[in-house]
Amino acid sequence: MNTTENQDAVAKYLRALDRELRNVPQARREAVVADLAEHIDEARERGRSDAQIIASLGPVEAIAADVQLDFADGAAEVERRSKLRVLGLVALAAGVLAAVVDTWIYPSSNIDEFWPDWLLSSSINYDVNTRWGAGLMLVFLLPGIMVAAGSLVKSGAARIYCTAAALIVTALPFVIGFNLGIFFLPLIVAAWMIAGISHRRQEPALGRKFLAQRIVAGLVAGAPAAALFAGLVTGTVGTGVLGVTVMVVLGLAAAGAMMGLRAAYWVLTACGALLLVTAVFDMGMLVLGLWVAGTIYFFVGLAGLLRPAPKG
């Protein structure tokens, strides 16, 4: 085989590798092909023939498979870190909200009488918030800061730290009482989501893996809509514009969630956030229901938004 034929064989080999890497971004693909061409040139300088070099490199399919695997692992890690940053911000916001409610809003609303006797009651003296409010808020802020910090930990201890943080915040309602601890519910959910992602090295495969999630999201959104519809039909709920609007929005969100539409998950997340804010400014007898419902809607929607997008 002459030099020209050797060069043609090498060029053909590199073109075949480029085709095998067609699903890898262009910059990464060009870098791999250029590195391999440089490796071939160095082998030539050591006196090896092109045929020997190509034989030692092996099939282009094997090289491409290794490159694609490395790229997929890197992309999955980038996506995982991005999700942790989002959940870290959510945890921090949830921690701040709980601290504000427990330190200032809840003590001043005198709604402790609405809580059943069998629920644990906080031993904190509500009167101290007038003298030590800033200090109490700092204490209530610590759980949120602790959970949010877990989203930034990159070492091998991240799994242990995030799990420990989730366990600690989950124990808060049992320690400080459910009448204060219930407001840490969004933080608790965020903490366990962070812990789950910190333990997950790779995203699960798309498709049927997410069918259960879509069904749950649809049922969560559809149940209140179905209840409102039943109330409208039976006349137990007024036919006001607000009730009909909520029913239609939640019904559409339920259908969209089951179909995996991101817009539907945005609606669920927004509805959850709205319910949580409403609970803060309307600390009445329904505060527990609003808070729990808001938490469910928000995180069901957020889970759908954080789900890997299907590859086209």
Side-chain angles (χ1 to χ4, degrees), residues 251-263:
L252 292 175
M258 285 190 173
M259 297 171 60
L261 299 179
R262 290 183 66 81

Side-chain angles (χ1 to χ4, degrees), residues 77-296:
E77 179 62 19
V78 169
E79 185 175 4
R80 190 177 72 90
R81 297 306 311 177
S82 176
K83 291 178 180 180
L84 285 174
R85 286 193 293 270
V86 171
L87 287 171
L89 292 174
V90 170
L92 187 60
V96 170
L97 189 60
V100 171
V101 172
D102 282 348
T103 307
W104 300 107
I105 300 178
Y106 182 87
S108 64
S109 57
N110 297 318
I111 62 173
D112 191 48
E113 60 187 282
F114 297 136
W115 290 79
D117 294 336
W118 57 268
L119 281 178
L120 294 177
S121 179
S122 173
S123 59
I124 295 177
N125 183 351
Y126 296 146
D127 292 334
V128 301
N129 77 310
T130 58
R131 294 181 57 188
W132 308 103
L136 280 178
M137 179 171 285
L138 179 60
V139 172
F140 283 121
L141 273 173
L142 290 179
I145 295 174
M146 175 184 64
V147 172
S151 66
L152 304 176
V153 179
K154 296 182 180 181
S155 65
R159 300 181 186 183
I160 299 175
Y161 177 89
C162 293
T163 302
L167 289 171
I168 291 172
V169 296
T170 302
L172 279 178
F174 301 92
V175 175
I176 67 175
F178 281 91
N179 51 350
L180 291 180
I182 192 64
F183 298 107
F184 283 100
L185 181 59
L187 179 61
I188 292 171
V189 178
W192 283 111
M193 290 181 71
I194 290 175
I197 291 179
S198 69
H199 280 73
R200 186 184 305 153
R201 286 299 183 184
Q202 294 182 351
E203 293 293 343
L206 299 177
R208 293 181 181 271
K209 294 282 187 179
F210 290 117
L211 179 60
Q213 179 181 331
R214 296 200 305 269
I215 292 175
V216 170
L219 292 176
V220 167
L228 280 174
F229 179 76
L232 292 173
V233 171
T234 59
T236 56
V237 177
T239 57
V241 175
L242 179 60
V244 174
T245 302
V246 171
M247 181 187 68
V248 172
V249 170
L250 291 179
L252 292 175
M258 285 190 173
M259 297 171 60
L261 299 179
R262 290 183 66 81
Y265 291 116
W266 275 112
V267 171
L268 292 177
T269 304
C271 287
L274 182 61
L275 284 173
L276 290 172
V277 172
T278 301
V280 170
F281 289 98
D282 186 18
M283 300 287 288
M285 293 184 66
L286 295 178
V287 61
L288 178 60
L290 290 175
W291 200 259
V292 173
T295 299
I296 293 173

